[in-house]
Amino acid sequence: MTTHSPESCCLASYNVHGWVGTDGRTDTKRTMDVIHSLKADVIALQEVVFTDESDRPCPFSELAQSMGYTVTLGPTMLRDDTRYGNALLSRLESKTVRRHSLDCFGREPRGAIEADFSFGEQTVKVIATHLGLRRRERRCQIRMLHDIVVDSSADATVLMGDLNEWLPWGHLPALLRKAFGPTGTLRTFPSRWPIFALDRIVATPAGRIQSIEAVRTDGVRVASDHLPLRAVLSLK
């Protein structure tokens, strides 16, 4: 069942911190309950653990499907002890899906999931990503993302994810400001006492985002070290 109306849809982005909460406990179900409570049509997830050290599947996909989501995985890292990366959950099937490598300078592998969704007569392109920790690395990745955005023929294009921009005023990097225009920022990290606006949901054309919030309930503050972002996108 979709939650969008003819005039809007709900989007969310959440760094789930490998299902580890601020209490140090790994609990996939607890974090998935937070995700479900967002009531979003499309959700970008970062730091998703797919398998454990014994190569057993994490219950993430099974839980997501039981909650009515279609799951698109975007693994970026294969280690001896974990396999993890990005994921995209949606209440409806995507028209197309592409996975992009954003690897730069031999740093930790990064990637993006690009998916097109039909909301009535509107096509919405969603790009879900998690950028690197170093500024030079992010510049490289942002150039790649900018090319994806400017080549889009969708009615609206949305970039969602953990952009790892630590500057306290939280401006988008210049190329993304050029593509998306000026945007507000919300503090999402760390979840107990948010200081940094690491996580973003931005859209083009400008004015498409009707509202955006960082969800701050007590349960959310424990489930991950990031707060989730939730936004309403206009389909007019």
Side-chain angles (χ1 to χ4, degrees):
M1 178 180 178
T2 59
T3 56
H4 70 274
S5 73
E7 296 187 346
S8 66
C9 65
C10 182
L11 307 171
S13 180
Y14 193 20
N15 183 323
V16 299
H17 195 227
W19 316 114
V20 180
T22 54
D23 57 0
R25 187 161 59 90
T26 301
D27 190 337
T28 307
K29 176 64 164 57
R30 174 175 64 182
T31 313
M32 283 302 303
D33 286 341
V34 169
I35 291 167
H36 192 51
S37 73
L38 299 175
K39 300 186 184 302
D41 299 295
V42 184
I43 307 166
L45 302 179
Q46 303 87 47
E47 295 190 18
V48 178
V49 173
F50 307 126
T51 61
D52 64 16
E53 61 275 8
S54 301
D55 209 31
R56 293 174 300 191
C58 171
F60 154 65
S61 290
E62 182 179 332
L63 282 169
Q65 290 165 0
S66 73
M67 294 175 175
Y69 298 106
T70 296
V71 181
T72 302
L73 302 181
T76 58
M77 177 74 78
L78 302 179
R79 288 178 172 168
D80 292 339
D81 57 344
T82 54
R83 298 184 181 185
Y84 74 97
N86 303 310
L88 197 63
L89 306 184
S90 59
R91 292 291 192 181
L92 62 168
E93 294 285 346
S94 57
K95 295 165 59 178
T96 60
V97 174
R98 300 177 184 87
R99 294 171 179 84
H100 301 274
S101 170
L102 300 180
D103 295 355
C104 291
F105 307 118
R107 300 285 298 167
E108 177 182 327
R110 302 283 180 170
I113 303 171
E114 175 192 0
D116 291 340
F117 296 93
S118 291
F119 292 94
E121 296 181 354
Q122 294 273 306
T123 297
V124 176
K125 181 181 296 295
V126 172
I127 304 166
T129 192
H130 186 185
L131 300 189
L133 294 174
R134 295 195 177 182
R135 188 175 181 184
R136 179 170 176 247
E137 178 187 6
R138 291 196 300 275
R139 283 179 180 168
C140 169
Q141 293 160 345
I142 286 163
R143 285 195 295 270
M144 298 182 204
L145 290 172
H146 179 262
D147 290 344
I148 299 170
V149 172
V150 298
D151 285 345
S152 173
S153 60
D155 297 291
T157 299
V158 181
L159 175 65
M160 303 197 291
D162 180 351
L163 302 192
N164 265 323
E165 283 294 328
W166 290 85
L167 294 177
W169 48 88
H171 292 318
L172 281 177
L175 268 181
L176 293 185
R177 287 202 305 274
K178 183 177 180 181
F180 292 99
T183 60
T185 59
L186 295 170
R187 299 177 181 186
T188 57
F189 180 88
S191 58
R192 288 189 181 273
W193 302 280
I195 300 173
F196 300 106
L198 300 189
D199 305 276
R200 307 294 178 87
I201 301 177
V202 294
T204 185
R208 281 282 191 158
I209 293 182
Q210 295 178 326
S211 64
I212 186 167
E213 63 173 331
V215 180
R216 294 177 178 238
T217 63
D218 289 342
V220 167
R221 291 178 188 272
V222 176
S224 171
D225 62 348
H226 286 243
L227 297 176
L229 284 182
R230 184 179 185 274
V232 175
L233 182 80
S234 172
L235 296 176
K236 291 183 180 179

